[in-house]
Amino acid sequence: MDQPKLTAEMLKADPRVVEAKRLLREALAEHSEKLARRDPLPELQADYEAALSQFADLRGNPLYYPFLGSGIGRGSLVELADGSVKYDMISGIGVHVCGHSLPELVDVLTDAAIEDTVMQGNLQQNRESLEVCQRLVTLARGQGAPIDHCFLTSSGAMANENALKILFQHRTGSHRILAFDHAFAGRSIVLSQITDRPRYRAGLPATIPVDFVPFYNPDAGEESQHDAVAALRMYLTRYPGAHCGFIMELVQGEGGYRTAPKSFFAALCEELRSASVPIYFDEIQTFGRTLAPFAYQMLGLDQYADIVTVGKMTQVCATLFGGAMNPKPGLLSQTFTSSTTALLAAKYILDRLQHGGFYGPDGRNAQIHRRFCIRFEKLNQRHPELIRGPFGVGGMVALTALDGSAAAAKRVLTELFSAGVIAFAAGSDPTRIRFLPSLLAVSDDEIEAVCDILEQTLLRSHQESSGSPA
Ligand SMILES: Cc1ncc(COP(=O)(O)O)c(C=O)c1O
């Protein structure tokens, strides 16, 4: 006998809802397919500038880019409220993995729009909260990582805060933390101590002692591994039993798209295991983008994953951890875990990533990286003074432009933006230019078009700065 259906299921299956979704998809496709790269429309310029200036006044500082989206796009293309249409190669720093206005996603989000609540949290978790947790734990355990639990939250910083709370409780009394040079962990007061950027913690109280271990230096090779292990041993000896964990980005994001061979991380992880210090992979920027769903899987470091955080492209952020770390009731709770739209989008994205051929040496992520690399290499052969790189892996792509200074990166980024490509800076000394394309949407043609614009922009920028043709 058929089980009686829930009223919510009857609503979703209602022919009016099904037809409304079809009409929405049709209208969206009809309008978005007209979009192509375009300069700002002069007739919108005055209002746009007034809106930007009002926004700067309200938030106290101007936006990094003069970017106010209109609310529509197509693939990597996004329309701004000044009428311009640009290639979005940074996707909100890795968030918009579906690109802009993906019709299938709009379909999924329409289901969210007719659910009963905007937000979900500690006293109301709809079924999709459970389903997202199930998917994340299954993915995380895919190659044997000892992950049993998943706690959802609404930002990467909160996922990291929750991870720290779990670690501090697990190792009660151990109040120091280990991190890498160039680390970025988020914007809370504690996380800005772990973040290796003095400017990001200017004026804030020092709340947690952080011991920084040198990250891998590809120019020094094995010596670099030796130095890092020696530094770690020194901290473990100087402060016995005092560390709650070691937070690691396996591909440093804000730090400049640096990574290391498996042996480098494994050597450190073995030291940490011997000292019973938990290992904590921050995969907020790397999740989904490397050659496996998690960077620790790509590097074969599964056995060391005691605690893992994800965010950005998952839309909903999460802290994943093993049974031994399960905190006591009362430690973690939130009014908001996330919005219903973000949860349904997360479910959709995790399914697409898992079954869409993104991973492995010939998966889509590797192909995207290769396409950028081929173009960078060609450019490098003709104009070695313009770029160095590529750096990063899979859907994390970076290059060093011109002299690698922060000023040069800013100039190139500003010129790229005007020419119709949105990218962003990463790291300092050198400051690199990074691309985080929308993995589910970016096409090979879009990458080619972006690289054409990049090449012209770099040539122009070099000519202007040197006063001579490149
Ligand atoms: C590695 C890493 N950790 C943590 C965060 C913080 O995430 P959120 O900005 O969502 O708080 C980021 C954001 O860029 C990140 O790249």
Side-chain angles (χ1 to χ4, degrees), residues 92-93 95 154-160 183-188 191 195 247-255 280 282-286 309-312 317 396 434 436:
I93 320 191
V95 177
S154 48
S155 75
M158 267 315 295
N160 277 346
F184 181 88
R187 300 287 187 161
S188 72
L191 297 172
T195 295
I247 178 169
M248 303 186 184
E249 285 168 273
L250 299 172
V251 185
Q252 293 193 312
E254 305 300 306
Y280 165 7
D282 175 342
E283 297 243 15
I284 288 167
Q285 192 156 154
T286 47
T309 48
V310 295
K312 291 188 182 280
C317 303
M396 301 174 78
R434 66 175 138 162
L436 288 168

Side-chain angles (χ1 to χ4, degrees), residues 3 9 37 75 173 180 200 211 222 277 283 289 295 304 316 389 412 433:
Q3 287 283 95
E9 279 161 9
R37 203 211 64 75
F180 279 125
Y200 293 1
D211 295 321
E222 277 196 14
V277 175
E283 297 243 15
R289 288 201 171 264
Y304 302 113
V316 183
V412 170
I433 290 180

Side-chain angles (χ1 to χ4, degrees), residues 376-393:
F376 291 176
E377 274 154 25
K378 278 191 190 151
L379 179 58
N380 201 271
Q381 277 160 15
R382 275 179 286 131
H383 301 286
E385 69 285 13
L386 294 186
I387 62 166
R388 263 150 297 140
F391 305 97
V393 56

Side-chain angles (χ1 to χ4, degrees), residues 132-152:
V132 169
C133 288
Q134 285 168 331
R135 280 164 174 74
L136 284 172
V137 170
T138 304
L139 266 181
R141 292 170 66 94
Q143 292 177 185
I147 296 292
D148 306 301
H149 303 292
C150 172
F151 194 85
L152 300 179

Side-chain angles (χ1 to χ4, degrees), residues 40-374:
L41 301 175
E43 60 272 34
L44 297 178
Q45 211 49 36
D47 281 352
Y48 193 70
E49 271 159 29
L52 284 170
S53 138
Q54 199 185 7
F55 204 179
D57 278 352
L58 286 167
R59 63 195 293 281
N61 274 299
L63 297 163
Y64 185 89
Y65 283 126
F67 181 113
L68 280 179
S70 72
I72 195 170
R74 176 171 62 82
S76 299
L77 289 169
V78 57
E79 184 188 64
L80 273 55
D82 64 356
S84 67
V85 178
K86 301 185 194 298
Y87 290 103
D88 179 3
M89 286 294 125
I90 197 63
S91 60
I93 320 191
V95 177
H96 315 309
V97 63
C98 298
H100 296 269
S101 302
L102 184 71
E104 252 185 79
L105 182 66
V106 171
D107 226 43
V108 170
L109 300 189
T110 310
D111 287 335
I114 58 169
E115 274 203 29
D116 58 329
T117 59
V118 177
M119 301 300 288
Q120 301 190 22
N122 59 356
L123 291 190
Q124 174 156 2
Q125 309 258 297
N126 288 2
R127 289 173 293 178
E128 48 274 9
S129 288
L130 165 66
E131 289 161 354
V132 169
C133 288
Q134 285 168 331
R135 280 164 174 74
L136 284 172
V137 170
T138 304
L139 266 181
R141 292 170 66 94
Q143 292 177 185
I147 296 292
D148 306 301
H149 303 292
C150 172
F151 194 85
L152 300 179
T153 188
S154 48
S155 75
M158 267 315 295
N160 277 346
E161 284 279 334
N162 288 337
L164 286 178
K165 283 166 112 181
I166 291 171
L167 286 171
F168 285 137
Q169 192 178 74
H170 178 68
R171 305 253 303 160
T172 301
S174 302
H175 288 162
R176 307 187 74 84
I177 189 156
L178 290 146
F180 279 125
D181 287 350
H182 320 294
F184 181 88
R187 300 287 187 161
S188 72
I189 293 176
V190 168
L191 297 172
S192 56
Q193 312 297 313
I194 297 172
T195 295
D196 191 14
R197 288 273 197 135
R199 199 163 63 85
Y200 293 1
R201 63 181 114 90
L204 303 183
T207 47
I208 172 178
V210 186
D211 295 321
F212 288 101
V213 170
F215 197 73
Y216 182 69
N217 173 2
D219 299 330
E222 277 196 14
E223 204 181 310
S224 167
Q225 181 174 316
H226 178 268
D227 291 350
V229 170
L232 175 60
R233 281 190 189 148
M234 180 195 69
Y235 289 128
L236 294 173
T237 310
R238 182 175 289 165
Y239 306 110
H243 295 101
C244 71
F246 191 143
I247 178 169
M248 303 186 184
E249 285 168 273
L250 299 172
V251 185
Q252 293 193 312
E254 305 300 306
Y257 283 35
R258 301 161 197 262
T259 188
K262 173 181 178 173
S263 54
F264 175 83
F265 294 117
L268 293 170
C269 289
E270 281 301 314
E271 291 292 326
L272 293 164
R273 274 281 176 273
S274 309
S276 304
V277 175
I279 297 158
Y280 165 7
F281 297 134
D282 175 342
E283 297 243 15
I284 288 167
Q285 192 156 154
T286 47
F287 176 80
R289 288 201 171 264
T290 70
L291 307 190
F294 290 85
Y296 68 76
Q297 294 172 330
M298 173 184 72
L299 289 162
L301 299 169
D302 300 68
Q303 57 172 311
Y304 302 113
D306 294 321
I307 188 157
V308 180
T309 48
V310 295
K312 291 188 182 280
M313 78 159 65
T314 49
Q315 315 296 307
V316 183
C317 303
T319 311
L320 303 157
F321 49 98
M325 299 239 161
N326 202 6
K328 296 191 180 91
L331 193 75
L332 309 180
S333 178
Q334 283 147 199
T335 303
F336 297 154
T337 43
S338 208
S339 68
T340 302
T341 31
L343 283 155
L344 285 181
K347 223 176 96 175
Y348 169 80
I349 289 164
L350 292 172
D351 288 344
R352 285 285 309 269
L353 289 177
Q354 194 176 1
H355 304 294
F358 285 90
Y359 302 113
D362 294 315
R364 180 65 188 148
N365 287 1
Q367 288 166 14
I368 290 171
H369 201 86
R370 270 202 292 275
R371 214 157 244 278
F372 276 104
C373 290
I374 290 168

